[in-house]
Amino acid sequence: MSDYFHLRAVPPSALRNSANWLERLFEDDWDAVRERIGRHREEVLDRSYLDHELLYTGAEVVLGGLPVYPADHDKPPFLLLTAARAHQVSSYLGATDFEALWRLAREELLPRYGGAGAEREARGVFAAAHRDLTAFYGQTARYRDAVVKWLLP
């Protein structure tokens, strides 16, 4: 079983600081999730989400946000970014050069993805995720939405 890190845009007026409400926010089936991904209203990273975080250290792109703990303490917390913070992340991604990020993180990432011989493929995966995250946060900023993040199996 793989874990997936979901990032979901939510209008601030609809956002609730309730773990039960936040959990229901992520109960949709994969068809609904794929539809929102296509509209850049949700993004999903696979189990390598922590590796993606290496590209964006300190920028709250992947991790970061106000934690809200579910009633079931065996589950990870939700992470909430206000609309203002989501806009800052969007601005950061829009101004960031992926090649510069890759050069800084590649030495740490490549051994996990097959070494130097697999660099082209690994770089492509990270570049695609960077484009997707940039589009997601860009759309989120245009709508002035907040972001809710959660790790799901």
Side-chain angles (χ1 to χ4, degrees), residues 33-63:
V33 170
R34 277 192 284 281
E35 189 271 327
R36 280 192 302 273
I37 289 171
R39 292 185 299 117
H40 306 296
R41 305 305 292 145
E42 186 161 349
E43 192 53 57
V44 178
L45 298 173
D46 66 13
R47 67 186 179 283
S48 65
Y49 69 94
L50 288 175
D51 291 338
H52 290 279
E53 177 68 8
L54 287 173
L55 292 174
Y56 311 113
T57 302
E60 296 189 326
V61 174
V62 177
L63 299 177

Side-chain angles (χ1 to χ4, degrees), residues 32-141:
V33 170
R34 277 192 284 281
E35 189 271 327
R36 280 192 302 273
I37 289 171
R39 292 185 299 117
H40 306 296
R41 305 305 292 145
E42 186 161 349
E43 192 53 57
V44 178
L45 298 173
D46 66 13
R47 67 186 179 283
S48 65
Y49 69 94
L50 288 175
D51 291 338
H52 290 279
E53 177 68 8
L54 287 173
L55 292 174
Y56 311 113
T57 302
E60 296 189 326
V61 174
V62 177
L63 299 177
L66 175 70
V68 175
Y69 295 91
D72 180 352
H73 294 294
D74 290 336
K75 293 180 179 178
F78 299 93
L79 299 173
L80 280 60
L81 286 182
T82 64
R85 293 295 297 150
H87 187 273
Q88 288 175 337
V89 172
S90 173
S91 295
Y92 164 80
L93 288 171
T96 299
D97 174 30
F98 174 77
E99 291 304 322
L101 294 173
W102 179 254
R103 280 191 301 276
L104 290 172
R106 73 181 286 280
E107 294 301 318
E108 191 168 350
L109 291 172
L110 281 181
R112 301 174 193 185
Y113 293 90
E119 181 169 5
R120 182 177 180 177
E121 182 180 338
R123 187 199 160 285
V125 168
F126 282 89
H130 176 74
R131 284 189 303 273
D132 292 345
L133 287 165
T134 301
F136 167 76
Y137 276 107
Q139 185 80 330
T140 300

